[in-house]
Amino acid sequence: AESKSIAKGVNHSTFTVYISYKCPPLGLESLKVKDSQIQASSYKRMGLGPHRGRLNIQSGVEDGDIYDGAWCAEYKDQNQWLQIDAKKLTRFTAVILQGRGSIWSLDYVETFKVQVSNDTIKWKPCMNATEEVVFEGNKDSETPVLAILPEPAVAQYIRINPQTWFKNGTICLRAEIMGCELPDPNNIYPWQAEEGTKDKLDFRHHNYKEMRKLMKSVNEMCPDITRIYSIGKSYMGLKLYVMEISDNPGKHELGEPEFRYVAGMHGNEVLGRELLLNLMEYICQEYKRGNQRIVHLVEETRIHLLPSMNPDGYEMAYKKGSELAGWSLGRFSYEGIDMNHNFADLNTIMWDAIELETDKSKLINHYFPIPEHYTSEEAMVASETRAVISWMQTIPFVLSANLHGGELVVTYPFDMTKDWAPKEHTPTPDESFFRWLATVYASTNHVMSDPDRRPCHNEDFLRYNNIINGANWHTVPGSMNDFSYLHTNCFEVTVELSCDKFPHASELPIEWESNKESLLVYMEQVHRGIKGVVKDRDTEAGIADAIIKVDDIDHHIRSAFDGDFWRLLNPGDYDVTVTAEGYFPATQSCRVEYEHYPTICDFHLTKTPKQRLREILAKGGKIPKDLQLRLRQLRIRKLRARPVNYV
């Protein structure tokens, strides 16, 4: 990365930039730095207090609430400052500055000074030879600007002292500090290990080539349980690689559910990408070690991991780096499409049908067809979105999650409100199970489940136990969650993994440890509910596209191409009815237990006489006597049912 902020009289060599990035951020953006560690000379009000002076912090829609978008000084003079207590002796190397996040106000610092201290009484200015350095700041509110100190400064405290600011605005800023902790001679536990993980995984940010290389290395290490395949290409021609993990890779096994994780839909939300790469490595390593939990998962589940749905966007963000990419660079596809809104809007089709149809028995509640206008070549549908839809239609996925960043919450469908309200709880017929899925992930995530954690930006999801109906957060037409539920059998949630969209590489081991159990236990939910095979009673052949109905839940699913099905359900007793074209329906009661394995509910369907007749005539065969008798009985019954007209 090149320095975008050139201090007056300071020559920034490539080596100096490299050294600054050898030191990680203190953690204003990631919230590693606590509110109590940030102080200021003054502030306008609580919503613009020093605790809001964090890089990339997002404000609410309205200015003036307690969740505003920066620290803003009460006074407009050169005596104002934002101060950070690193808690330990630190080698400060750089400051990253950003203006106020607001859609109504334009405020940013144009130049600033930096001072350091060990006691907050005596302050040492940052000097270039004999002159105090004045650093160039921002030229807009959103673009992060890097200012490298001419020489690293060793101290516990650091101050940012604005000198000039946007002439029509006021003193407002968001910041991150780069610095390396130094050994503390007063620490009585010098060998105490930092929080992290014991897993030996490749903890760093991987660009496209490095990602491909890592996936290949996992495949070579575990060739018997892994397979790499591509579901298509990005707009710029980068392949969308998937890692399959199964004891029989490359094949759908009868009765074995299909699971998927998708990450990187927004290219600058990178933690999910790295977690899925770590997950590949971890499963491979633990399978080889004989970890029975992982062995069981691999043998009983076909797992598909798509670490980068938007590789074009990721490459843009990656080139800037974790602190300079900003909040939105790389979010969209190369064409400028937000894939989070890019799937076919089947919700509107469903709700329009409900309003127009007087006979409710004729309404469908699953497998909604994609409208023709969406499938045309002229439609504004990203090539990446088309590839994922084709993937969904090819493999009978049962459960999925797509991984995002920028918040700490798990959202579940529906993501779109019925009346386009900004926020409105809009449940699916499977509300209770979706809440269970969301809770499974959130309650096992180390950071989400911390009752003392600070809200990321402008929403306190702790009061919802870190789960929320997507439409009750903000309405999203054309989401992957809703499309997956309405067009396929697959249940899907969105996991917002971290406050920081692009965590520094030094944070990745901690993030892995926070999410490892969540990633595993969520996958295991694919085995909760009922599963079975729908077969022809006479031939024992599997029946594809049989409809599985659960009483009191107005959402059906269908059997896969070889007749197997999976219906995710909470524990309880259910009456399940299976119907298929040309067959008599069948009903049975199925009990779902609390154990982590599904209840087996197989169905054998009997062909209707008309269906048997069609098949025999199509083959040119002779009609058997039992079928002749059955057809005669049906004709007589039909004649008796006709009304008699008296003359």
Side-chain angles (χ1 to χ4, degrees):
E2 290 185 8
S3 171
K4 294 295 179 75
S5 172
I6 306 300
K8 295 177 181 178
V10 179
N11 178 26
H12 291 267
S13 66
T14 304
F15 178 75
T16 308
V17 175
Y18 173 74
I19 289 297
S20 77
Y21 269 81
K22 288 289 284 183
C23 286
L26 294 191
L28 278 80
E29 183 176 9
S30 68
L31 305 185
K32 186 177 178 181
V33 172
K34 307 301 181 186
D35 287 353
S36 59
Q37 294 175 246
I38 313 173
Q39 295 180 312
S41 52
S42 66
Y43 54 93
K44 280 191 169 184
R45 49 184 171 77
M46 183 58 69
L48 293 169
H51 64 293
R52 302 298 292 177
R54 300 172 180 272
L55 192 72
N56 285 320
I57 202 165
Q58 299 297 295
S59 64
V61 175
E62 300 292 337
D63 284 353
D65 62 12
I66 62 170
Y67 297 117
D68 223 314
W71 161 66
C72 292
E74 183 179 5
Y75 309 107
K76 292 200 288 185
D77 60 48
Q78 294 182 335
N79 298 318
Q80 304 306 307
W81 45 261
L82 184 74
Q83 174 182 304
I84 295 90
D85 178 3
K87 290 292 186 182
K88 298 178 181 179
L89 205 59
T90 303
R91 181 188 293 112
F92 297 114
T93 59
V95 173
I96 297 172
L97 225 59
Q98 199 176 31
R100 178 181 178 182
S102 170
I103 59 175
W104 309 106
S105 306
L106 188 60
D107 300 301
Y108 53 87
V109 170
E110 293 178 326
T111 61
F112 63 98
K113 294 179 179 180
V114 174
Q115 296 102 31
V116 296
S117 174
N118 284 320
D119 55 12
T120 70
I121 298 172
K122 295 180 180 179
W123 288 90
K124 180 181 178 182
C126 183
M127 305 290 288
N128 179 30
T130 58
E131 183 181 359
E132 185 172 4
V133 180
V134 178
F135 295 95
E136 288 186 13
N138 300 108
K139 295 181 180 178
D140 60 57
S141 295
E142 285 301 320
T143 307
V145 170
L146 172 68
I148 299 171
L149 308 189
E151 295 293 336
V154 176
Q156 181 178 332
Y157 302 89
I158 187 168
R159 273 184 181 178
I160 301 168
N161 172 213
Q163 297 298 294
T164 60
W165 42 92
F166 178 56
K167 63 180 180 180
N168 294 325
T170 188
I171 299 174
C172 295
L173 63 85
R174 293 174 284 174
E176 183 60 88
I177 307 296
M178 310 297 285
C180 296
E181 292 181 4
L182 296 180
D184 184 355
N186 298 316
N187 185 1
I188 61 173
Y189 303 110
W191 301 287
Q192 187 173 1
E194 288 292 319
E195 183 183 4
T197 181
K198 295 179 181 178
D199 296 324
K200 305 299 182 184
L201 307 175
D202 190 7
F203 293 117
R204 60 194 173 97
H205 290 295
H206 298 79
N207 63 18
Y208 179 74
K209 290 182 179 179
E210 292 165 343
M211 178 189 75
R212 189 171 57 181
K213 185 178 178 181
L214 185 145
M215 293 176 73
K216 186 179 178 182
S217 70
V218 172
N219 178 237
E220 290 172 348
M221 186 162 58
C222 291
D224 295 338
I225 63 165
T226 63
R227 178 177 74 103
I228 301 170
Y229 65 96
S230 171
I231 61 171
K233 292 183 178 180
S234 70
Y235 182 81
M236 294 300 290
L238 301 180
K239 289 184 177 180
L240 306 182
Y241 286 114
V242 176
M243 174 67 79
E244 178 192 340
I245 305 175
S246 166
D247 63 338
N248 194 359
K251 180 184 178 183
H252 171 72
E253 296 182 70
L254 189 70
E256 186 170 290
E258 309 267 359
F259 177 92
R260 72 170 182 260
Y261 273 131
V262 176
M265 174 187 288
H266 292 147
N268 64 330
E269 296 169 13
V270 308
L271 180 55
R273 175 191 182 106
E274 298 307 326
L275 288 177
L276 292 193
L277 294 178
N278 294 153
L279 185 61
M280 296 171 198
E281 294 180 281
Y282 179 80
I283 292 177
C284 173
Q285 291 175 8
E286 293 302 304
Y287 183 86
K288 293 182 75 171
R289 291 190 183 107
N291 180 329
Q292 285 305 298
R293 182 187 189 186
I294 300 302
V295 169
H296 182 265
L297 189 63
V298 170
E299 291 180 348
E300 300 297 326
T301 320
R302 191 178 179 211
I303 302 163
H304 305 258
L305 308 177
L306 172 60
S308 186
M309 182 178 166
N310 181 6
D312 296 350
Y314 175 83
E315 291 299 300
M316 286 189 279
Y318 177 83
K319 288 174 183 175
K320 283 285 185 180
S322 60
E323 276 61 60
L324 298 181
W327 187 252
S328 60
L329 179 67
R331 173 185 176 91
F332 306 107
S333 73
Y334 193 84
E335 300 169 272
I337 296 173
D338 186 344
M339 287 180 252
N340 199 37
H341 299 255
N342 198 224
F343 289 80
D345 172 14
L346 303 181
N347 304 59
T348 300
I349 294 172
M350 173 183 66
W351 289 321
D352 285 350
I354 290 171
E355 288 187 8
L356 295 173
E357 183 58 69
T358 54
D359 185 355
K360 302 302 179 186
S361 65
K362 292 183 179 180
L363 289 168
I364 60 171
N365 65 14
H366 70 300
Y367 273 58
F368 285 84
I370 300 175
E372 285 186 25
H373 68 81
Y374 182 88
T375 58
S376 70
E377 291 185 9
E378 292 75 30
M380 280 294 291
V381 182
S383 54
E384 298 89 343
T385 309
R386 294 184 193 272
V388 169
I389 290 175
S390 177
W391 186 38
M392 289 178 170
Q393 294 170 331
T394 304
I395 296 175
F397 290 112
V398 179
L399 181 61
S400 174
N402 61 86
L403 309 181
H404 287 245
E407 260 298 350
L408 277 166
V409 68
V410 183
T411 76
Y412 58 89
F414 287 121
D415 289 333
M416 180 183 176
T417 55
K418 188 175 179 180
D419 57 2
W420 288 80
K423 292 184 178 185
E424 188 176 275
H425 188 83
T426 311
T428 67
D430 286 285
E431 166 84 356
S432 63
F433 193 78
F434 272 118
R435 287 183 61 83
W436 167 260
L437 287 173
T439 300
V440 161
Y441 199 103
S443 63
T444 51
N445 180 278
H446 292 186
V447 181
M448 286 189 205
S449 59
D450 179 2
D452 298 321
R453 77 171 177 87
R454 179 192 188 282
C456 290
H457 299 284
N458 52 56
E459 299 255 15
D460 184 5
F461 291 111
L462 277 164
R463 60 191 175 128
Y464 305 116
N465 293 319
N466 305 297
I467 71 169
I468 192 169
N469 171 254
N472 202 26
W473 182 16
H474 54 82
T475 190
V476 179
S479 78
M480 188 157 72
N481 288 348
D482 290 2
F483 179 86
S484 183
Y485 183 70
L486 294 175
H487 185 66
T488 76
N489 289 337
C490 188
F491 287 31
E492 183 160 6
V493 302
T494 293
V495 183
E496 298 281 349
L497 292 162
S498 62
C499 301
D500 186 351
K501 287 188 175 186
F502 200 145
H504 190 270
S506 62
E507 299 286 334
L508 296 179
I510 299 170
E511 294 287 3
W512 164 252
E513 198 61 31
S514 294
N515 285 278
K516 177 172 67 173
E517 178 61 22
S518 306
L519 291 166
L520 293 174
V521 75
Y522 185 83
M523 281 195 287
E524 290 168 340
Q525 303 315 302
V526 77
H527 297 284
R528 186 174 292 277
I530 63 174
K531 78 170 185 177
V533 183
V534 183
K535 294 181 180 179
D536 184 297
R537 184 176 297 279
D538 298 322
T539 66
E540 288 293 312
I543 301 173
D545 287 326
I547 298 174
I548 293 89
K549 307 176 182 179
V550 178
D551 276 8
D552 301 324
I553 301 179
D554 190 26
H555 180 77
H556 309 332
I557 63 164
R558 297 194 185 193
S559 60
F561 48 84
D562 49 6
D564 50 354
F565 72 91
W566 305 262
R567 183 49 165 103
L568 299 176
L569 293 165
N570 283 324
D573 293 308
Y574 300 92
D575 290 329
V576 182
T577 300
V578 174
T579 61
E581 188 176 352
Y583 291 87
F584 290 111
T587 301
Q588 63 175 296
S589 294
C590 302
R591 167 170 284 190
V592 177
E593 305 286 356
Y594 285 88
E595 285 79 2
H596 287 287
Y597 54 82
T599 299
I600 308 299
C601 284
D602 293 326
F603 287 82
H604 288 81
L605 303 188
T606 302
K607 283 191 180 78
T608 62
K610 285 186 177 181
Q611 180 65 21
R612 287 180 63 195
L613 179 63
R614 286 193 201 100
E615 292 178 3
I616 291 169
L617 293 176
K619 295 177 181 177
K622 186 178 179 181
I623 303 174
K625 289 184 178 180
D626 71 309
L627 182 55
Q628 291 178 20
L629 178 62
R630 181 67 176 146
L631 290 168
R632 190 178 301 119
Q633 290 172 341
L634 288 171
R635 281 197 296 271
I636 292 170
R637 189 181 301 167
K638 198 171 183 181
L639 287 169
R640 286 174 178 171
R642 286 180 181 174
V644 178
N645 294 321
Y646 293 97
V647 178

